Amino acid sequence: MNPSVHPSSIVEDGARLGAGVSVGPFCHIGAGVALGDGATLDAHVVVGGRTRIGARVRIFPFAAVGLPSQDMKAGLAEGALTIGDDCVIREGVTINAGAEEGTRIGARCVFLASSHVAHDCRLGDDVILSNQVLLGGHVEIGDHAMIGGATAVHQNVRIGAQAFVGGLSGVEGDVIPFALASGNRAHLFGLNLVGLQRRGFAAERIERLRRAYRLLFARDDARVFSERVASLAHDFADDADVAAIVGFLRAPATRPLCAPRAR
């Protein structure tokens, strides 16, 4: 199937449109853009930079994707952006390009209205940003994480896979995988139990994660945190979920850890 482009839209020379691409009225597609098979731009969509958009991605009106970052140090240099297959980008969303490898977004992600992804972010698969979520530069989010509406995430923060951040939060610390965080400034409330149950985690699997969480943040444990992490790695050596938490905690980080609030 040949691409379908509305006569009012502009597709610059050099842009590549896959089979079955549909471009609605008043869109602008830059010369460095590649749209995967079956991608749809509804209307009034701008896509620029060195942007690669996967198959069957749908972009709703007034979204701006792949434009230069708002990083004052970078100026308005053209950057790169990669978006995986089957993503949904709703009205007014802005996703900025990044330097070098650029901003990278996995498959089946959903960006609700007016959410913002800054330069050089890394998002895994099946990530959901609710309305008006703001991600600073170099934020990393793991697979199946969900961020509640009107939440702001500080630059360089990492949010682990399967985590949930409640709405109206200000996140300035790293959130471990499988956790539930909320508040301004955000702190941990425990595990993302509802999300894990909805994704089919067995009761035994969730209980192991709960034991690991309690050991990690036990208030009566006098050991330094690195010793607790080492103990967790030893005691749950055959548990892939706990290994994911340990790996997250041992990975290089520039932000503090989001932890439970002290009583």
Side-chain angles (χ1 to χ4, degrees):
M1 296 174 59
N2 292 327
S4 171
V5 181
H6 192 277
S8 64
S9 290
I10 297 173
V11 180
E12 295 184 10
D13 292 341
R16 292 179 290 156
L17 277 56
V21 165
S22 175
V23 180
F26 303 106
C27 296
H28 189 140
I29 301 172
V33 173
L35 301 179
D37 295 347
T40 300
L41 279 59
D42 279 8
H44 297 278
V45 174
V46 177
V47 185
R50 303 190 307 278
T51 297
R52 303 290 178 268
I53 293 178
R56 299 171 301 279
V57 171
R58 184 173 181 185
I59 307 180
F60 284 73
F62 303 106
V65 176
L67 300 184
S69 78
Q70 299 176 79
D71 183 357
M72 302 298 289
K73 300 184 297 298
L76 294 176
E78 183 180 81
L81 167 65
T82 302
I83 297 177
D85 297 341
D86 299 301
C87 290
V88 176
I89 300 171
R90 294 299 309 229
E91 296 84 352
V93 169
T94 53
I95 303 177
N96 290 166
E100 299 177 358
E101 295 184 6
T103 303
R104 291 183 292 176
I105 292 167
R108 300 175 302 279
C109 294
V110 178
F111 303 88
L112 297 187
S114 301
S115 53
H116 171 69
V117 179
H119 63 93
D120 299 291
C121 287
R122 303 284 188 269
L123 277 62
D125 297 334
D126 301 290
V127 172
I128 299 176
L129 304 190
S130 295
N131 300 64
Q132 298 180 328
V133 168
L134 308 176
L135 302 185
H138 300 275
V139 166
E140 298 181 13
I141 301 181
D143 297 344
H144 296 284
M146 181 174 179
I147 315 299
T151 288
V153 182
H154 194 285
Q155 60 263 32
N156 297 300
V157 159
R158 299 176 302 140
I159 297 175
Q162 310 279 358
F164 180 89
V165 178
L168 297 173
S169 295
V171 185
E172 60 181 5
D174 292 344
V175 179
I176 63 171
F178 310 105
L180 169 64
S182 188
N184 187 11
R185 296 302 195 240
H187 58 280
L188 298 187
F189 283 86
L191 296 178
N192 178 21
L193 296 177
V194 173
L196 298 179
Q197 290 165 355
R198 286 177 176 173
R199 295 189 192 105
F201 278 55
E204 296 82 2
R205 188 178 178 186
I206 292 175
E207 181 56 30
R208 288 196 299 271
L209 280 168
R210 294 181 75 171
R211 293 205 321 267
Y213 181 91
R214 288 194 294 266
L215 290 170
L216 187 62
F217 295 110
R219 300 186 186 279
D220 57 354
D221 191 336
R223 295 176 298 175
V224 298
F225 195 73
S226 61
E227 292 175 336
R228 301 188 197 187
V229 174
S231 177
L232 213 64
H234 177 269
D235 296 344
F236 294 84
D238 59 346
D239 191 301
D241 294 334
V242 178
I245 296 175
V246 171
F248 182 92
L249 292 170
R250 287 176 168 173
T254 60
R255 301 299 304 164
L257 185 67
C258 184
R261 177 175 289 174
R263 291 194 182 96

